[in-house]
Amino acid sequence: MVTLEPPIEQLPCENLIYSRPESLAEIQTHYCPGCTHGVAHRLVAEVIDELEIQERTILVAPVGCAVFAYNYFDFDSAEAAHGRAPAMATGLKRVNPNSIVFTYQGDGDLASIGIAEAIHAATRGENITVIFVNNAIYGMTGGQMAPTSLIGQVTTSSPTGKDAALTGMPMHIAEMMAPLPGVVYSVRRSLHDARHTIQAKKAIRTAFEAQIQGLGFSIVELLSSCPTNWKMTPLDAAHWVRDEMIPVYPLGDFKVAEPLQNKNRSA
Amino acid sequence: MAKGRILIDVERCKGCELCREACPPDVIALADTLNSKGYRPVMLLDPQHECTGCALCATVCPDGCITVYRESVPKPQRKRKQPAYPGHVIPVAA
Amino acid sequence: MSKELLKGNVAIAEAAVRAGCEAYFGYPITPQTELLEHMSKRMPELGRVFLQAESEVAAVNMVYGAASAGVRVMTSSSSPGISLMQEGISYIAGSEVPAVIVDVMRGGPGLGNIQPSQADYNQVVKQAGHGDFHPIVLAPSTIQEAIDMMVLSFDLAEKYRTIVFLVLDGAIGQMMEPAELPPMQEVKKKRPFWALSSQEARRTNGELPQKNVITSIHLGAEALHKFNEHLQRKLAQIEANEVRYYENYMEDAEVAVVAFGTAGRVAETAVKTLRAEGVPVGLHRPITLWPFPEKRLQELADRVKAFLVVEMNAGQMFHDVREAVGREVPVEFLGRMGGLIPFPTEVEAEVHALWRRTEVLEMHRP
Ligand SMILES: Cc1ncc(C[n+]2csc(CCOP(=O)(O)OP(=O)(O)O)c2C)c(N)n1
């Protein structure tokens, strides 16, 4: 029998280094074991706590595995139609200019069905933040090919591997967004290990700071894993992000507007 | 190195082991028991007191189930929420 | 205030402004574009929100967003644009937020044309999006009525947390008529309790309120069934309270002409002429297409010998009249499509024929 010595309860609480952020609701997520949607949620919640904006933040949740994100955050939330989160967020932000409005979208949601809404919100320089979770697959519907799937990637709708001649090359959202004039911050980070996760959090923080400062559209693309639909263990999935995804989706800062520079050097 | 301890919300843990891979002193292990959801949660297995409270495990945890304590704190801390779940004592075979 | 000569689309837009509409999102499409253009000028003048969206899909979802914040918000479009909006409309209905949509109908299917039409009746009244719901549908036939109903639309939307459609056709949108605009209402300061604003703003006695969530998902079958039952109860309440129609010469009529919007105007002209000729005909003009004045038509069916439905489509409301009236009383249809408006003389001829037929039938009855 192994127990802990001394019991945790007796440690003085000043020494509490890390605990669940306030902005993350107590409820347990429905995500599969090892799915990094949970990490992305937690990072966003930590940033919102640190910036002390919980009381004026509004989430616009997507259709995708994160459809219930509004249950997992402890602030006002809306559930958009598939891909329409940036339009819904636009409506919300325009009538609530003092709120901090962010969308949380998967790659099917943002890069496929909702690409028009995303690009136009970006072009208008809508003062919102987009957390874009790129897991190279449609998670919620059971692992079909996404515009972000890698060439050769086997999915339930590309059983012989994604074929560029048939469905095109993977879509690079962070790079696509960067040249749009309304965009002030467009970066790609990864959630496959602790070091990269810490960098991802810094980027998320900068993206929200951009909104607080009223600078315009900010987007953080997060390379994320989908162990279940990739048919891997969580650890293998993390390695797949590192070994297969990052070479196709290089991490980096594709646009950092002047007022945000020097805050957060690149990955 | 400061000594640290982690507290794991066993009921929330899904046993994905990402924390295990992230842990530098390698003091996290899968428990032998299942939680009420049927997952095999992780536990701190640290007889040598090697945990430094670096919080990398908590950083990668998708389910936010790790609370981290450290013996001495170098800088002043923000207000932190105390965990709502009870302390963790996982019976495992020695 | 006195009457001014106003163009339909502009009058509606200004009425919305005066009803305290706080945000407008839209996309250009003939024959409603003047509405959007008027908003583009007026809303910023008043420090309110105007945004030309990239598509009707985006416009309706912006409306969804602003509606979730509990403000008076609207969009306007014409038939092809309404087709695109169906997704958002369904989400708005499913999350019970108030929103107003103006549909200046044009001829279809497909790109069709930009002429006046009533071919969106089914789309708006029967199936404005996927799922079991109905928006409230108001169909004015004069510019004054359109103005009054624009204001009413916002009130009803808020009262029932529902979508209200104001449907007209290019004829009413484009014509000019003397009408009186309503007094100016300020934008409401207080947001409803369910709205997404800022938790901070909703704080009472220093206590932070519960978070608000606007969503249309109910994953469990039981839960969704319950929600739908709730929605149906609300719809039943609307049906009980909000039926509106206009009648003329109906007291002693033996033939009833049923028509809405522009077709209703034409029908009224025809009815007046026929009355001068001594034909006992009256007009029943539904103003709410949903809830449909079904009970009133049932009452009329007890004493009227025949109905003539006049529409600018292939016969869409016709089926609702038929259903209300039953099989005992004949219901005839006169329709024009493609942007044609029936002439009063055509309606007159049809009524004459119908009247003669029913007289003959009467004679042969035992
Ligand atoms: C209009 C519409 N089309 C299709 C769907 C089905 N659908 C739900 S989620 C989804 C894809 C989600 O994938 P992604 O955005 O990558 O998010 P993930 O689940 O991977 O997090 C699809 C196609 C839908 N809900 N609505």
Side-chain angles (χ1 to χ4, degrees), chain A residues 37 63-66 82 106-109 113 135 137-141, chain C residues 87:
Chain A
H37 266 307
V63 175
C65 283
H82 194 20
D107 42 6
D109 196 77
I113 196 168
N135 58 10
I137 207 157
Y138 282 19
M140 190 197 214
T141 40
Chain C
E87 177 195 48

Side-chain angles (χ1 to χ4, degrees), chain B:
Chain B
M1 259 311 176
K3 294 267 180 250
R5 280 290 180 277
I6 61 170
L7 182 62
I8 293 156
D9 186 346
V10 179
E11 277 306 310
R12 204 191 283 278
C13 177
K14 295 172 185 160
C16 71
E17 295 184 89
L18 292 182
C19 55
R20 222 181 113 178
E21 167 144 304
C23 177
D26 198 11
V27 292
I28 298 175
L30 279 180
D32 282 353
T33 49
L34 302 182
N35 65 18
S36 69
K37 303 256 175 14
Y39 291 117
R40 223 178 126 188
V42 290
M43 54 169 288
L44 178 67
L45 190 62
D46 189 16
Q48 311 298 322
H49 296 304
E50 288 169 286
C51 174
T52 61
C54 70
L56 291 183
C57 52
T59 301
V60 298
C61 176
D63 294 286
C65 40
I66 304 180
T67 308
V68 185
Y69 296 87
R70 201 185 287 158
E71 270 178 359
S72 61
V73 180
K75 47 183 185 209
Q77 285 302 302
R78 287 180 1 89
K79 184 188 88 177
R80 294 271 188 198
K81 186 167 63 168
Q82 287 294 327
Y85 47 92
H88 127 301
V89 178
I90 303 179
V92 285

